[in-house]
């Protein structure tokens, strides 16, 4: 099998992936800023992260994955201007920044779980084991690491201290007319059209804050060698990635929007501190578009979130399927129709899994014809994560099983599903155990109560939620019957 090939934004080409340490991959992904629910565009970015992680595992690698949670320092403009996003929400909701962050972190974790996105475990407080270690880490829990990196940047002459903050000297780092490593733009091109906050303290408007000082209204502040203040947004990713994974990462991911500013700045900070290359492969997902016009009633005035899909009776995993149905580097158009089409493909696979016969399940060896599909699947995946092609192979294999009346493909299908994360085995287990998943049972009980109270609007809402979990409710003369979708029809 051809080894995994991936598009590296640093060289703007697809190349073979080779980790620094054989068998182990260090992978850092820019995570959420927790001041609002994550919209479906954000969730596309995290489905991509999870897909890449699974593809690496599918290729036998031990993946050490770190994701940050931005709970301080991300201003409403990426260019050192505006308010701290978390503090802005805190003021608007009359809550503390910590309450805001905790609330949206819990929501983020729930959405990830519903989409089968496996997050690293929360970073332990205090001392941590030697890198590389997986961690989901909060900016506010890693201020010391940020101060340590800023100290190194200053010691190497790449930053300067002023009354309003510690700044990174971008022009010195880049050299005269120098271009960024990723966007390959000069500073003037990079910031064209942006209104830069030009503090009189900055040597150049392109310089950015590493540590902000003298902002007494800011709620979250820490002591530092330069005075009380708070970190800039970019420094958190440099500091946390290197703390948990080591000074040179194998892979760094984020959405395309991060290329010109955030990731350029991370590279500049990290490499000026350590003198080593920061990340060997930068990978970027393209955007989910068309959310503005999405006809999801409750989402008027904001981008749709996962809860909107669920309320519309759509299984969250159909959104995962939609993402997998497009190449990660292509824009993906969102609409309810497109996610419903993805759901019908998911239903097709679930239907097959739920109806597998005992002999197919018991067989440790799949039919020989499945091997060709296994190879094509792996090939598609290793060709820069061509998930639409891999998905087509899966659907084709199942169609072939129907055509040949030969269901002995379960071992292969299960392995594909470990990669795709569609929970086919779980659906099968539920049917075999003859039990409803606890969440479905809870919704059914709640719906019965709503019906008893004659609250039919709520009862309809609950029916949609149950259907989003792939179950169908029928009210019969003898009581309520709940069955997996499709099998029931
Ligand atoms: P943020 O919380 O704004 O920092 O965004 C979190 C992640 O979502 C980042 O990696 C962004 O690049 C990514 N992102 C934001 N909007 C979209 C979108 N419409 N489609 C795909 N990814 C996005
Ligand atoms: Zn980042």
């Amino acid at each position: 099998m051809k080894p995994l090939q991936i598009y590296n934004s640093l060289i703007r080409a697809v190349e073979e992936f080779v980790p620094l340490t054989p068998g182990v991959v260090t992978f850092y992904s820019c995570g959420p800023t927790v001041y609002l629910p994550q919209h479906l565009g954000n969730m596309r970015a995290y489905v991509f992260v999870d897909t890449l992680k699974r593809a690496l595992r599918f290729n036998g690698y031990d993946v050490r994955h770190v994701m940050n949670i931005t709970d301080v320092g991300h201003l409403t403009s990426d260019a050192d201007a505006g308010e701290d996003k978390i503090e802005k929400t805190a003021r608007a909701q009359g809550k503390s920044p910590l309450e805001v962050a905790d609330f949206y972190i819990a929501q983020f974790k729930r959405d990830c779980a519903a989409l089968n996105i496996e997050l690293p475990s929360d970073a332990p407080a205090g001392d941590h084991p030697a890198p590389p270690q997986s961690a989901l880490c909060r900016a506010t829990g890693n201020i010391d690491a940020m101060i340590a990196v800023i100290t190194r940047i200053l010691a190497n002459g790449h930053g300067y201290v002023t009354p309003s903050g510690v700044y990174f000297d971008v022009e010195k780092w880049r050299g005269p007319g120098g271009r960024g490593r990723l966007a390959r733009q000069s500073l003037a091109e990079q910031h064209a059209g942006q209104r830069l906050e030009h503090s009189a303290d900055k040597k150049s408007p392109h310089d950015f804050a590493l540590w902000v000082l003298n902002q007494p209204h800011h709620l979250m502040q820490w002591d530092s060698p330069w005075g009380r203040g708070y970190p800039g947004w970019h420094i958190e990713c440099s500091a946390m990635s290197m703390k948990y994974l080591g000074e040179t990462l194998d892979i760094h991911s984020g959405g395309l929007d991060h290329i010109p500013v955030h990731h350029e700045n991370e590279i500049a900070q990290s490499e000026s501190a350590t003198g080593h290359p920061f990340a060997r492969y930068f990978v970027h997902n393209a955007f989910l578009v068309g959310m503005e016009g999405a006809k999801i009633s409750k989402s008027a005035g904001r981008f749709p979130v996962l809860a909107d899909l669920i309320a519309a009776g759509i299984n969250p995993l159909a959104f995962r399927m939609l993402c997998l149905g497009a190449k990660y580097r292509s824009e993906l158009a969102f609409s309810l129709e497109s996610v419903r089409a993805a759901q019908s493909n998911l239903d097709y696979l679930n239907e097959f899994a739920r109806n597998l016969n005992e002999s197919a399940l018991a067989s440790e060896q799949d039919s020989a014809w499945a091997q060709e599909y296994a190879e094509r699947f792996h090939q598609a995946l290793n060709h820069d994560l061509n998930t639409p092609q891999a998905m087509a192979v899966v659907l084709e294999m199942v169609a072939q099983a129907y055509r040949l009346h030969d269901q002995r493909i379960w071992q292969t299908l299960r392995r594909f599903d470990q990669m795709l994360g569609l929970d086919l085995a779980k659906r099968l287990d539920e049917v075999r155990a003859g039990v409803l998943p606890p969440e479905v049972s809870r919704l059914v009980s709640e719906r019965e109560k709503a019906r008893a109270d004659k609250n039919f609007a709520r009862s309809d809402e609950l029916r949609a939620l149950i259907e989003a979990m792939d179950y169908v409710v029928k009210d019969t003369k003898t009581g309520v019957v709940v069955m997996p979708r499709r099998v029931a029809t």
Side-chain angles (χ1 to χ4, degrees):
M1 182 58 53
K2 218 169 158 193
L4 180 64
Q5 314 276 310
I6 189 100
Y7 183 88
N8 185 351
S9 302
L10 286 167
I11 60 161
R12 295 190 178 182
V14 174
E15 63 172 336
E16 182 176 329
F17 172 71
V18 184
L20 208 51
T21 305
V24 180
V25 180
T26 55
F27 176 22
Y28 182 83
S29 352
C30 288
T33 305
V34 282
Y35 68 111
L36 280 177
Q38 295 289 298
H39 58 62
L40 290 176
N42 300 134
M43 296 319 291
R44 181 190 189 193
Y46 305 122
V47 168
F48 163 65
V49 167
D50 191 60
T51 305
L52 176 53
K53 200 156 123 181
R54 287 172 189 255
L56 290 162
R57 288 195 185 133
F58 197 83
N59 280 282
Y61 292 112
D62 170 6
V63 185
R64 310 292 167 94
H65 178 221
V66 171
M67 185 183 279
N68 67 303
I69 289 179
T70 302
D71 54 0
V72 66
H74 197 165
L75 304 187
T76 44
S77 150
D78 285 356
D80 281 355
E83 254 183 287
D84 184 306
K85 291 183 178 186
I86 283 110
E87 295 203 353
K88 189 175 172 194
T89 301
R91 286 183 219 277
Q93 298 183 353
K95 291 186 180 159
S96 71
L98 183 65
E99 284 169 329
V100 169
D102 283 349
F103 180 84
Y104 289 111
I105 289 172
Q107 194 171 66
F108 171 65
K109 287 184 174 178
R110 278 197 302 275
D111 283 357
C112 285
L115 286 169
N116 251 343
I117 295 168
E118 185 211 284
L119 291 174
S121 305
D122 289 336
D127 285 349
H128 69 100
Q133 291 298 327
S134 296
L136 182 69
C137 42
R138 288 171 76 145
T140 50
N142 286 282
I143 301 293
D144 288 353
M146 297 178 211
I147 291 175
V149 178
I150 299 171
T151 305
R152 286 172 81 179
I153 293 171
L154 289 175
N156 292 339
H158 289 288
Y160 52 93
V161 185
T162 76
S164 65
V166 181
Y167 293 103
F168 188 87
D169 191 337
V170 181
E171 285 182 355
K172 178 166 180 212
W173 168 251
R174 290 235 185 137
R179 289 177 174 266
R181 197 85 65 73
L182 284 167
R184 301 189 192 173
Q185 292 173 326
S186 67
L187 289 167
E189 286 164 349
Q190 183 177 317
H191 292 126
Q194 277 182 22
R195 201 176 58 81
L196 292 180
E197 180 80 351
H198 192 12
S199 153
D201 289 341
K202 285 188 186 179
K203 287 190 194 166
S204 147
H206 304 298
D207 292 351
F208 58 90
L210 298 167
W211 188 262
V212 183
L213 291 164
N214 289 312
Q215 295 280 338
H217 62 279
H218 202 271
L219 301 171
M220 293 177 281
Q221 308 247 4
W222 293 266
D223 288 327
S224 80
W226 317 286
R228 260 184 100 63
Y230 63 93
W233 172 42
H234 314 297
I235 196 69
E236 72 171 81
C237 286
S238 289
M240 292 195 271
S241 58
M242 296 196 292
K243 168 173 166 177
Y244 293 101
L245 294 174
E247 291 186 354
T248 298
L249 319 172
D250 285 313
I251 305 180
H252 192 313
S253 80
L256 274 180
D257 55 323
H258 284 341
I259 289 182
V261 180
H262 184 52
H263 287 171
E264 289 289 12
N265 291 354
E266 277 188 49
I267 295 173
Q269 294 167 149
S270 309
E271 298 193 358
S272 66
T274 68
H276 312 308
F278 175 47
R280 301 170 58 245
Y281 299 81
F282 262 96
V283 291
H284 293 101
N285 65 275
F287 264 39
L288 183 74
V289 295
M291 287 182 288
E292 305 79 6
K295 291 190 205 68
I296 300 182
S297 54
K298 282 193 192 153
S299 71
R302 60 168 170 78
F303 282 162
V305 298
L306 199 61
D308 294 322
L309 289 187
I310 297 172
I314 293 169
N315 180 340
L317 292 179
F319 179 73
R320 186 177 176 104
M321 188 92 175
L322 177 75
C323 296
L324 293 170
K327 290 187 183 167
Y328 74 94
R329 288 197 287 126
S330 306
E331 248 180 28
L332 171 58
F334 176 79
S335 68
L336 270 187
E337 292 69 40
S338 63
V339 81
R340 286 207 167 104
Q343 168 126 15
S344 78
N345 279 336
L346 180 61
D347 287 346
Y348 177 72
L349 296 178
N350 275 332
E351 170 82 348
F352 181 81
R354 281 178 180 137
N355 289 319
L356 275 167
N357 61 37
E358 289 302 322
S359 83
L361 286 172
S363 164
E364 281 174 20
Q365 191 75 44
D366 281 353
S367 293
W369 61 265
Q371 183 56 29
E372 179 210 323
Y373 291 90
E375 280 162 22
R376 282 171 55 204
F377 179 89
H378 200 161
Q379 222 155 37
L381 198 68
N382 279 8
H383 185 67
D384 194 24
L385 252 52
N386 191 339
T387 51
Q389 200 173 327
M391 193 60 79
V393 171
V394 179
L395 293 166
E396 227 182 273
M397 182 175 81
V398 170
Q400 180 72 340
Y402 278 124
R403 215 172 295 130
L404 298 177
H405 301 287
D406 176 5
Q407 296 191 344
R408 284 201 302 146
I409 57 167
W410 179 232
Q411 303 304 332
T412 310
L413 192 57
R414 203 158 56 172
R415 215 170 114 65
F416 289 172
D417 195 36
Q418 277 160 7
M419 168 60 226
L420 300 169
L422 297 173
D423 264 357
L424 300 181
K426 208 162 146 191
R427 293 289 118 79
L428 169 73
D429 288 346
E430 286 161 9
V431 168
R432 279 162 67 81
V435 291
L436 294 178
E439 177 64 3
V440 175
S441 295
R442 193 184 63 71
L443 294 170
V444 170
S445 314
E446 210 185 311
R447 181 173 173 274
E448 283 183 43
K449 185 168 178 313
R451 272 161 48 87
D453 296 345
K454 306 229 176 314
N455 184 349
F456 297 113
R458 179 67 186 146
S459 157
D460 286 348
E461 264 173 31
L462 288 159
R463 176 195 289 277
L465 294 176
I466 293 165
E467 285 176 2
M469 303 198 69
D470 259 351
Y471 280 78
V472 174
V473 200
K474 286 190 177 163
D475 300 309
T476 68
K477 286 199 189 100
T478 49
V480 178
V481 177
V482 188
M483 286 175 284
R485 198 211 302 269
R486 282 295 186 99
V487 176
T489 54

